Structures are given as C-alpha cells and as structure tokens.
Amino acid sequence: MSAPQSIALSPAADGAAAAISPQPIAPPRNGRRGKPGKIYARETSGRFNRLRWGMVIFTQLIFYGLCWLPWDGRQAVLFDLGDYKFHIFGLVLWPQDALYMAIVLVVAALALFWATALAGRVFCGFACPQTVYTEMFMWIEARIEGDRVARMRRDSASATLPGTARRVAKHAAWWLLALWTGLTFVGYFTPVREVVAGAFQGQLGPWEWFWLFFYATFTYMQAGLLREKVCQHMCPYSRFQTAMFDDRTKVVAYDVARGEPRGALHSGAASGDCVDCSVCVQVCPTGIDIRQGLQYPCINCGLCIDGCDQIMDKLGRPRGLIRFAAESAGQPRATTDGAMATGWRPRLWVYGALMAFFTGLGIYVLMHRVPLQVDVLRDRGALFREVEDGRVENAYRLHILNMDGEGHRFRVSVSGLPSAQVVSGEMLDVAAGSTANLPVTVRAEAGDGRPGANPVQFTIHAEDGAETLQVRENSVFMQP
Ligand code: SF4
Ligand code: SF4
C-alpha cells in the first residue's frame, strides 16, 4: 500500500516559480505511547482556540435552540415533510418554492469558494459540523479521561477497573450527547416537543425512531470514533480544495526561513527559531506536522499557531513562526501575523459579485413572492350550455392553494368578454397553508366574442386587503 501523499508547495529548481509536489506524510509525531495510529490531541489555548469555541457555541446554540423557539403559535423552524411545507419563522415555503432553496444553496457554495480562495479551509477548521462535534466530543473525553498524557498512559497499560470505568463513562456521555443531537435533528421535521415527549414515553413513530438513532449513531461514529479520518479519507472537499487555491490564498504555514535549521534549545547545533518541541504536532487534531508544508488533511484550524505562539512567548521570541500566510515557493510571505487581508484578486471579485447577485436575486423574488397559486380547469362534461335567459354558460373548477400563513376569503372575477360574469362560485374561504376546490360558473351573452374559444382571464384576490394575494389565470370561454 502506498504511503499517503501530501500537497506541499516547494521551490522549483530555478527558484522562479512554485511547484506542487507530492510528499509523504510523516507518521504522527505526537507521542511514543498510546495506541499506534491513534491521535491524542493535546488541549491548547489561544486566540484560534477561542475562535473555534466561539463558533461551537454560536452554531450549537442555533442548532439545539432554534427548534424550541415558538413563532405565531407554532415552531419557528419546522420542515413539515408530511404536509410538504417548510415553516421558517413567518414564512411558509412549499415545493413550488424550491427556487429559494436552490438560491440559498448556490449562495452557500459561492461563500465556501470565496472563503477557501481567501483563507484556505477555514470553513473546515471553524464551522464544519465534523469539526464542531469532534471538538465537543474531545472536550468530554478530556474531562472524563484526563489530558493527553493520562489517556496515552492508560491506553499503553493493562486494563484496570478505574480506567475501564472512565472509558465506559466517556462513551455513555458521548451517546447521551449523540442521542440529544439525533432528537434535535428529528425535532426539525416533527414538532420537537412531540418528539421529546414521544421519545420519553416510547411513543414515537417508526420513522422518527429510525432517524433519531441513525443520526445519533452517525454523530457518535463521526465525532467520537472516526474524527480526523473523516477529514483525511472521507471528505471530498479536501480533495478538490486546491483547485480554489492560488499563491495568495492564506493557509496555516510554517516559516521555513525563520525556523530552520531546527533543533532542541541549547543543543548548540541549531540556529533557527524552531526548537523542535513538537507542540504544534501534539495539538493538531489531524496529527500532521505543518513544518512539512501544506498537506491536504490540514483543516486550517490554527491550533498549531496557538501552540507554537505559546512556545515563542516562553522563549521570548516573536510569535508567528507558524501563522496564516500565503505560502509561495516554500516561504510564507512576510504578512501581518494572522491577517486575512490578502490582496484582492479577480477570483475573489468574481465569487463576491456572484454571491451579491444571487443574494439580491433571492431577496427580490422573495419580496415579490405571491403565496397564492390557482389552477383553472374547464369542466370536461360540456363545452357550453345555453341557459333560459338566452345567455351561454361555461363551467370551471378552480384549484386554489393558499400558501400564506393566514387564512383568507378569496373573490373570483372574470374578464376578457364584455358581458362575462361569474354567476356562482364567487367567493371561498381557504385556511392558511391549505388547498380548496371551487366550482365556478360563468355566463356571457350569446354572440359576445366569436364562435368557439374566446380567451378570458380569471382574477382571484384576497378580500381582506392583502394586496399581494392576487393572481390572474388564463382560460377560454366557449361560444356556440
Ligand atoms: S511548536 Fe513551534 S517551536 Fe515547537 S516544533 Fe512546532 S514549530 Fe517548532
Ligand atoms: S496543521 Fe495546524 S492548522 Fe492544520 S489541522 Fe493541524 S493544527 Fe490545524
């Protein structure tokens, strides 16, 4: 089996341009004890760690909290698949509104491209659910099983009762979190209060049980057991991210010129700033050595920056031996430490302009959205009927879909022929978010229009002053 490859930017032979060359990833150098191949990430502190935890708290407050928020007597955000309705605060979206979902997805993809071109895999390092849940699971692990050294010692030694008890407690805590995550997930599709009550009373439906346990198991596996392997081997994004990189994309990079030759402090041989303490490797959640250059498992989390900055502080040397920088020809450029202010270039403008366009388009179509849909069907039984007063009668069936969050009384009128008039089925009450069928009869003077089909228009509008609730539908009136 071939060794895993990393992508590293290294100087071309003539030093004129950077070339992408594959380099083998060194085995994780984060300790000699513990299970072989297992990564024992060391906890660290610093600005990037605080930023990561800020994102964990921000995203999880939204995820765990939003489904409990009431809005107009119902759950603020509820994806009601049974009734084909998405409730998002006061807005009710139907399958007919799939355009909005498409626009949201396009804007999200463009935002990801833009952020990647600007600062590499920052989404992976700070906002990806895999990263966020792994962070939470690792925090639980450290609280129950102790720090990195304690965990490595325990894994190297024979099993003991206290050690086993800690492991069992850790997995139990992971499962609790995973189950609550699964329950919350299902709570976005079935009202969360019903899900919680049903789960504790054992009265959920089979699909709710399935998805609760599926999502819980998925979370437990991904964040508890697989962790960095998901980023390294399963995530497709890591494979094509370099397509969005250029030589001004900021990535977490080691300053080779300043750090090398590395060596232990007071060894006498080294003259670079890197004291080869391996802290940057120990804190890395994916277990890589950033000093080897840019590698695809690196998620740009910045924890190695925090770790190395602490070492530099202790040594009284300037921070930034590892920092966010554009890596060109193997050398991070001299940039402001950690700054994101990489020079603007065409691809950022293009991504930004597309994002602004699609966001504007989404806002425009949302503001002009008419939450009313009407289909006019002609009565198939008879083309027309001549009635006693000498007029001609046509029958229709109107299928009215009120997509608004409130019920309305709708009035139907007809135009297109001077004498055309709705004689029955003029009004109908349609409840919020529901459909109704309305039989409508239209009469016109015989001879009004030409023999055969005459175009007419039905106007359906809400009577209660909701001006946006008005649609016009075309049909035909048959004359003898
Ligand atoms: S933390 Fe800094 S000093 Fe220590 S090995 Fe890493 S780069 Fe070198
Ligand atoms: S190398 Fe640094 S930035 Fe990359 S994943 Fe490891 S700790 Fe995070």
Side-chain angles (χ1 to χ4, degrees), residues 443-462:
R443 285 183 186 171
E445 298 292 343
D448 191 2
R450 61 171 187 260
N454 293 273
V456 290
Q457 295 82 42
F458 284 92
T459 302
I460 301 92
H461 73 275

Side-chain angles (χ1 to χ4, degrees), residues 58-79:
F58 173 68
T59 54
Q60 297 317 295
L61 271 180
I62 292 175
F63 175 69
Y64 291 113
L66 197 56
C67 56
W68 291 95
L69 189 69
W71 195 272
D72 281 347
R74 72 158 74 85
Q75 196 167 308
V77 177
L78 181 66
F79 305 119

Side-chain angles (χ1 to χ4, degrees), residues 6-12 17-23 242 245-249 251 253-254 256 291-295 325-332:
S6 72
I7 302 298
L9 298 175
S10 61
I20 294 176
S21 65
Q23 293 181 359
T242 45
F245 280 26
D246 57 32
D247 64 355
R248 286 197 277 174
T249 296
V251 292
Y254 167 69
V256 178
R291 293 172 298 173
Q292 294 185 8
L294 178 62
Q295 298 158 56
E327 193 177 56
S328 180
Q331 300 289 330

